[in-house]
Amino acid sequence: MAILNILNYPDDRLRIQAKPVEEIDAGIVQLVDDMFETMYKAPGVGLAATQVNVHKRVIVIDISEDKSRPLTLINPEILEKEGIQSIDEGCLSVPGIYEPVERAQRIRVKALNKQGETFEMEAEELLAVCIQHEMDHLQGKLFVDYLSQLKRHRIRKKMQKQQKMAM
Ligand code: GNR
Ligand code: NI
């Protein structure tokens, strides 16, 4: 197991499109395990492989308070979307920023699990938001892309300042 480095906005590598996983081999299983460890340590409720600079369609999520509901989504696809909700989102790649984003309220998703089995599930509220947020990452999209240009500009400046301070 290992803690992976999380890329920070505005790193260009967060814009790379992830490729579908063709075979769930030992490397993918290792990646999933390391992503859970990294997400729990952060702490966060979700993590997309893109954020750890691996450009494969792999997502891990756990919205429980006690790490009791790990969910792995490989090659996820949204089958249905319904309704609209808007909750304050945060992102491990944009630390310290929380802003509301409009998302579907309820989704139906198809994916592969860590065993390589296809499954379908329905999600609503925070879980639905989280899946949509992570699927955006796989396409190189960040929640700040939904904000106004002015807000995004301010966030970019703040992140660049923080990164200078950390050097
Ligand atoms: O930890 C996270 N919390 C969160 C809160 C509201 C909406 C989405 C999220 S995902 C985020 C972790 C993360 O950056 N995943 O990509
Ligand atoms: Ni994120």
Side-chain angles (χ1 to χ4, degrees):
M1 299 272 274
I3 303 290
L4 306 171
N5 183 47
I6 298 176
L7 300 176
N8 276 325
Y9 179 74
D11 195 307
D12 289 338
R13 293 170 291 180
L14 288 167
R15 301 305 185 180
I16 300 172
Q17 288 259 345
K19 295 204 163 72
V21 171
E22 290 188 358
E23 193 195 350
I24 300 181
D25 57 15
I28 297 293
V29 172
Q30 180 71 56
L31 172 66
V32 167
D33 291 346
D34 290 346
M35 283 173 63
F36 272 114
E37 199 182 2
T38 304
M39 177 190 79
Y40 286 134
K41 164 116 187 292
V45 295
L47 189 68
T50 308
Q51 291 176 279
V52 295
N53 200 27
V54 175
H55 303 286
K56 295 179 182 165
R57 296 187 57 81
V58 176
I59 289 169
V60 300
I61 292 175
D62 192 340
I63 61 161
S64 74
E65 299 212 323
D66 54 357
K67 310 182 180 183
S68 62
R69 294 211 302 278
L71 180 63
T72 304
L73 299 168
I74 299 171
N75 298 345
E77 285 170 54
I78 293 187
L79 303 175
E80 284 169 47
K81 290 190 187 196
E82 198 181 285
I84 299 173
Q85 63 177 326
S86 177
I87 67 159
D88 267 0
E89 294 194 20
C91 182
L92 295 172
S93 296
V94 196
I97 307 291
Y98 302 90
E99 293 284 347
V101 175
E102 274 191 11
R103 305 278 190 185
Q105 155 68 24
R106 206 179 149 87
I107 57 173
R108 186 159 182 85
V109 188
K110 181 181 167 181
L112 299 175
N113 63 20
K114 215 172 97 171
Q115 283 75 42
E117 299 154 347
T118 302
F119 69 100
E120 285 187 23
M121 63 178 285
E122 276 191 16
E124 55 185 11
E125 299 174 344
L126 176 61
L127 183 57
V129 168
C130 208
I131 293 171
Q132 292 171 83
H133 175 117
E134 304 312 337
M135 286 186 68
D136 270 358
H137 275 301
L138 300 181
Q139 299 212 71
K141 194 163 171 102
L142 296 166
F143 86 101
V144 296
D145 299 344
Y146 295 99
L147 308 179
S148 70
Q149 204 180 28
L150 176 65
K151 271 191 183 170
R152 201 162 52 246
H153 186 73
R154 284 181 180 152
I155 291 167
R156 177 186 283 266
K157 290 286 164 221
K158 189 175 168 187
M159 293 298 123
Q160 283 167 339
K161 195 169 159 190
Q162 276 178 15
Q163 277 155 44
K164 261 196 196 135
M165 299 274 285
M167 288 212 270

